[in-house]
Short mmCIF file of all heavy atoms in Angstrom, two decimals:
data_model
loop_
_atom_site.label_atom_id
_atom_site.label_comp_id
_atom_site.label_asym_id
_atom_site.label_seq_id
_atom_site.Cartn_x
_atom_site.Cartn_y
_atom_site.Cartn_z
N ILE C 709 6.75 18.32 -6.37
CA ILE C 709 5.69 18.11 -7.38
C ILE C 709 4.36 18.65 -6.87
O ILE C 709 3.58 19.23 -7.62
CB ILE C 709 5.54 16.61 -7.72
CG1 ILE C 709 6.77 16.14 -8.47
CG2 ILE C 709 4.29 16.36 -8.56
CD1 ILE C 709 6.75 14.67 -8.82
N LEU C 710 4.13 18.49 -5.59
CA LEU C 710 2.84 18.91 -5.03
C LEU C 710 2.76 20.43 -4.87
O LEU C 710 1.76 20.95 -4.39
CB LEU C 710 2.59 18.22 -3.68
CG LEU C 710 2.33 16.71 -3.78
CD1 LEU C 710 2.40 16.05 -2.42
CD2 LEU C 710 0.98 16.43 -4.42
N GLY C 711 3.79 21.12 -5.26
CA GLY C 711 3.71 22.59 -5.26
C GLY C 711 4.73 23.26 -4.36
O GLY C 711 4.74 24.48 -4.26
N GLY C 712 5.53 22.49 -3.67
CA GLY C 712 6.54 23.08 -2.79
C GLY C 712 5.91 23.63 -1.52
O GLY C 712 5.38 22.90 -0.72
N GLU C 713 5.93 24.93 -1.41
CA GLU C 713 5.27 25.59 -0.29
C GLU C 713 3.76 25.60 -0.54
O GLU C 713 3.33 25.51 -1.68
CB GLU C 713 5.71 27.06 -0.23
CG GLU C 713 7.19 27.27 -0.09
CD GLU C 713 7.61 27.27 1.36
OE1 GLU C 713 7.16 28.18 2.08
OE2 GLU C 713 8.33 26.34 1.77
N ARG C 715 0.64 27.13 -1.60
CA ARG C 715 0.43 28.30 -2.46
C ARG C 715 -0.84 29.02 -1.98
O ARG C 715 -1.92 28.46 -1.98
CB ARG C 715 0.32 27.81 -3.89
CG ARG C 715 -0.28 28.71 -4.88
CD ARG C 715 0.38 29.92 -5.38
NE ARG C 715 -0.24 30.18 -6.67
CZ ARG C 715 -1.45 30.73 -6.80
NH1 ARG C 715 -2.13 31.14 -5.76
NH2 ARG C 715 -1.96 30.87 -8.02
N PHE C 868 -6.23 27.11 -15.71
CA PHE C 868 -6.45 27.32 -14.27
C PHE C 868 -5.13 27.58 -13.57
O PHE C 868 -4.05 27.26 -14.08
CB PHE C 868 -7.24 26.17 -13.64
CG PHE C 868 -6.65 24.79 -13.83
CD1 PHE C 868 -5.64 24.32 -13.00
CD2 PHE C 868 -7.13 23.94 -14.83
CE1 PHE C 868 -5.12 23.05 -13.16
CE2 PHE C 868 -6.60 22.67 -15.00
CZ PHE C 868 -5.60 22.22 -14.17
N ASP C 869 -5.26 28.20 -12.39
CA ASP C 869 -4.06 28.60 -11.63
C ASP C 869 -3.72 27.61 -10.54
O ASP C 869 -2.56 27.50 -10.13
CB ASP C 869 -4.31 29.96 -10.97
CG ASP C 869 -4.72 30.99 -12.00
OD1 ASP C 869 -3.88 31.33 -12.84
OD2 ASP C 869 -5.89 31.44 -11.97
N GLY C 870 -4.73 26.93 -10.03
CA GLY C 870 -4.49 26.01 -8.92
C GLY C 870 -5.54 24.92 -8.91
O GLY C 870 -6.55 24.98 -9.61
N VAL C 871 -5.28 23.91 -8.10
CA VAL C 871 -6.13 22.73 -8.03
C VAL C 871 -6.73 22.64 -6.63
O VAL C 871 -6.05 22.96 -5.64
CB VAL C 871 -5.30 21.46 -8.31
CG1 VAL C 871 -6.14 20.20 -8.21
CG2 VAL C 871 -4.62 21.54 -9.68
N VAL C 872 -7.99 22.24 -6.57
CA VAL C 872 -8.60 21.91 -5.29
C VAL C 872 -8.97 20.44 -5.33
O VAL C 872 -9.68 20.01 -6.24
CB VAL C 872 -9.88 22.74 -5.02
CG1 VAL C 872 -10.44 22.38 -3.66
CG2 VAL C 872 -9.59 24.22 -5.12
N ALA C 889 -0.98 17.43 -10.12
CA ALA C 889 0.03 18.47 -9.92
C ALA C 889 1.21 18.27 -10.87
O ALA C 889 1.72 19.22 -11.47
CB ALA C 889 0.51 18.45 -8.46
N THR C 892 0.01 18.86 -14.79
CA THR C 892 -0.41 20.22 -15.16
C THR C 892 0.61 21.27 -14.72
O THR C 892 0.57 22.40 -15.19
CB THR C 892 -1.76 20.59 -14.53
OG1 THR C 892 -1.61 20.67 -13.10
CG2 THR C 892 -2.84 19.59 -14.87
N GLY C 893 1.47 20.92 -13.79
CA GLY C 893 2.41 21.91 -13.27
C GLY C 893 1.72 22.97 -12.42
O GLY C 893 2.32 24.00 -12.09
N ARG C 894 0.47 22.74 -12.03
CA ARG C 894 -0.25 23.70 -11.18
C ARG C 894 -0.28 23.18 -9.76
O ARG C 894 -0.45 21.98 -9.53
CB ARG C 894 -1.69 23.91 -11.67
CG ARG C 894 -1.82 24.44 -13.08
CD ARG C 894 -1.25 25.85 -13.19
NE ARG C 894 -1.51 26.43 -14.50
CZ ARG C 894 -0.77 26.25 -15.59
NH1 ARG C 894 0.30 25.47 -15.55
NH2 ARG C 894 -1.09 26.83 -16.73
N PRO C 895 -0.14 24.07 -8.78
CA PRO C 895 -0.11 23.60 -7.40
C PRO C 895 -1.50 23.21 -6.88
O PRO C 895 -2.49 23.80 -7.30
CB PRO C 895 0.38 24.84 -6.63
CG PRO C 895 -0.05 26.00 -7.47
CD PRO C 895 0.00 25.53 -8.90
N VAL C 896 -1.52 22.23 -6.00
CA VAL C 896 -2.76 21.96 -5.27
C VAL C 896 -2.84 23.01 -4.17
O VAL C 896 -1.88 23.19 -3.42
CB VAL C 896 -2.75 20.54 -4.66
CG1 VAL C 896 -4.10 20.25 -4.00
CG2 VAL C 896 -2.45 19.49 -5.71
N MET C 897 -3.93 23.74 -4.13
CA MET C 897 -4.03 24.86 -3.18
C MET C 897 -4.92 24.58 -1.98
O MET C 897 -4.67 25.07 -0.89
CB MET C 897 -4.51 26.12 -3.90
CG MET C 897 -3.46 26.64 -4.88
SD MET C 897 -4.07 27.98 -5.93
CE MET C 897 -4.44 29.23 -4.72
N PHE C 898 -5.98 23.82 -2.21
CA PHE C 898 -6.90 23.53 -1.11
C PHE C 898 -7.28 22.06 -1.12
O PHE C 898 -7.23 21.41 -2.17
CB PHE C 898 -8.19 24.36 -1.25
CG PHE C 898 -7.99 25.83 -1.05
CD1 PHE C 898 -7.88 26.67 -2.15
CD2 PHE C 898 -7.88 26.38 0.22
CE1 PHE C 898 -7.69 28.03 -1.99
CE2 PHE C 898 -7.69 27.74 0.40
CZ PHE C 898 -7.59 28.57 -0.71
N PHE C 911 -4.01 23.39 1.30
CA PHE C 911 -3.31 22.14 1.07
C PHE C 911 -1.85 22.29 1.51
O PHE C 911 -1.20 23.28 1.18
CB PHE C 911 -3.37 21.81 -0.42
CG PHE C 911 -2.70 20.53 -0.78
CD1 PHE C 911 -3.34 19.31 -0.61
CD2 PHE C 911 -1.42 20.53 -1.33
CE1 PHE C 911 -2.73 18.12 -0.97
CE2 PHE C 911 -0.81 19.34 -1.70
CZ PHE C 911 -1.46 18.14 -1.51
#
Side-chain angles (χ1 to χ4, degrees):
I709 291 178
L710 291 167
E713 301 273 296
R715 162 71 157 78
F868 55 83
D869 305 293
V871 178
V872 182
T892 66
R894 300 295 187 276
V896 184
M897 292 172 63
F898 293 99
F911 181 81

